[in-house]
Amino acid sequence: MDDYTIELENVTAIYEGERIPALYGISLAVDRGVILGVIGPNGAGKTTLLEVMNGLLPVTAGTVRALGAAVSPRNHRLRQRIAYLPQDMFFDPPTPFLARDVVLMGRFARLGMFRLPGREDHRAVSVALAAVGAEELARRPIGRLSGGQQRKILLARVIARQPEILLLDEPMANLDPQAKLELSHLVLRIHRELRLTTVVVSHEPGPLLDAADRIITIVAGRIAVPEQPPIHVRM
Ligand SMILES: Nc1ncnc2c1ncn2[C@@H]1O[C@H](COP(=O)(O)OP(=O)(O)OP(=O)(O)O)[C@@H](O)[C@H]1O
Ligand SMILES: [Mg+2]
């Protein structure tokens, strides 16, 4: 069997307490280094797709593999190698962390919660903040930053964490046109420099979807217009 970076085989996922699957019989193989765009109407299952790829949601049937191993909620070691930026993730104004702390949390994901950050971690955080051009935001409370500024900080956290897979759910939503453009280029740069495999749910036309190696449409929990054989995304 080929070792794809992400591989879903006949995946069905049902949320607890629900009867209708949010995903139904999804088969999809994603090669290393590609960008896969995911579109589809509200409630189609796009977020659910990212959740099974990242092991947040267990599958009811089928298998999910990433980086050569089975993805499951309990496979923490594997999940550390997958960064997930949830849809509408914004920090409230009273959130008691500085932007820099949020980036530093990316290091905990990699190195374990109970380890004190060392000089290397602080250096990685500074490098990440510089990479997204957000050094001047470092000492500000995260909840007081604008939506676009918060997104930049979350991308700095991705850089500090050095994952192999990046899952983004509507990263450009609620940003102004300039910020959308800037963020798209930032994601593309991170994708290339970290040699990531990136799956992005987005409806925003622009450089990020333009750069996608493939765009799939999810409708009512299925991949619309499935092709034969199952979809395989190549660079
Ligand atoms: N936590 C949950 N519990 C139960 N059902 C859920 C849960 N989250 C999502 N669903 C259901 O699963 C289906 C897919 O939802 P999902 O959030 O994946 O859609 P989506 O394509 O991301 O939509 P949107 O574009 O609005 O973000 C929907 O029918 C939704 O009602
Ligand atoms: Mg969603």
Side-chain angles (χ1 to χ4, degrees):
M1 190 185 74
D2 285 309
D3 249 357
Y4 301 112
T5 297
I6 307 169
E7 188 175 21
L8 277 67
E9 254 182 49
N10 218 358
V11 164
T12 294
I14 306 179
Y15 282 99
E16 210 179 308
E18 299 290 321
R19 285 166 55 200
I20 300 169
L23 292 179
Y24 192 84
I26 301 259
S27 292
L28 175 69
V30 184
D31 267 353
R32 181 181 264 297
V34 308
I35 298 177
L36 171 65
V38 180
I39 61 174
N42 293 135
K46 305 180 298 294
T47 296
T48 309
L49 181 69
L50 296 190
E51 288 187 354
V52 300
M53 284 179 174
N54 141 305
L56 260 177
L57 183 69
V59 300
T60 316
T63 55
V64 182
R65 292 175 61 79
L67 303 165
V71 174
S72 82
R74 280 185 295 179
N75 192 345
H76 299 292
R77 191 167 288 213
L78 174 60
R79 295 183 60 202
Q80 282 163 16
R81 298 163 69 192
I82 305 171
Y84 174 45
L85 256 58
Q87 187 169 15
D88 300 326
M89 180 178 174
F90 290 106
F91 298 92
D92 292 331
T95 307
F97 300 114
L98 301 179
R100 194 182 170 86
D101 300 330
V102 172
V103 180
L104 188 60
M105 285 170 207
R107 300 292 295 178
F108 295 145
R110 196 172 173 82
L111 301 162
M113 267 305 208
F114 304 105
R115 201 183 126 288
L116 282 176
R119 202 189 309 169
E120 182 71 9
D121 298 311
H122 286 294
R123 208 177 56 87
V125 168
S126 299
V127 168
L129 282 164
V132 304
E135 295 111 313
E136 78 286 1
L137 305 176
R139 298 261 153 229
R140 292 182 54 193
I142 185 75
R144 307 260 167 99
L145 300 182
S146 75
Q149 290 170 328
Q150 291 192 16
R151 291 270 140 186
K152 272 192 185 175
I153 296 298
L154 288 170
L155 286 177
R157 180 163 77 174
V158 168
I159 296 173
R161 181 170 164 178
Q162 299 177 306
E164 286 153 81
I165 294 174
L166 177 58
L167 308 175
L168 300 167
D169 201 347
E170 304 274 12
M172 267 92 72
N174 304 315
L175 303 186
D176 68 53
Q178 184 57 36
K180 279 178 186 170
L181 203 62
E182 209 180 309
L183 200 87
S184 301
H185 286 299
L186 198 52
V187 169
L188 283 174
R189 222 179 71 219
I190 294 170
H191 170 82
R192 290 183 187 128
E193 285 176 10
L194 298 185
R195 297 163 189 265
L196 298 171
T197 302
T198 299
V199 181
V200 56
V201 173
S202 176
H203 289 101
E204 302 292 342
L208 189 49
L209 279 192
D210 287 349
D213 298 279
R214 170 123 208 185
I215 295 176
I216 58 168
T217 307
I218 305 284
V219 178
R222 299 170 193 260
I223 296 177
V225 204
E227 297 180 4
Q228 298 296 333
I231 285 175
H232 173 193
V233 186
R234 292 179 190 278
M235 268 217 265

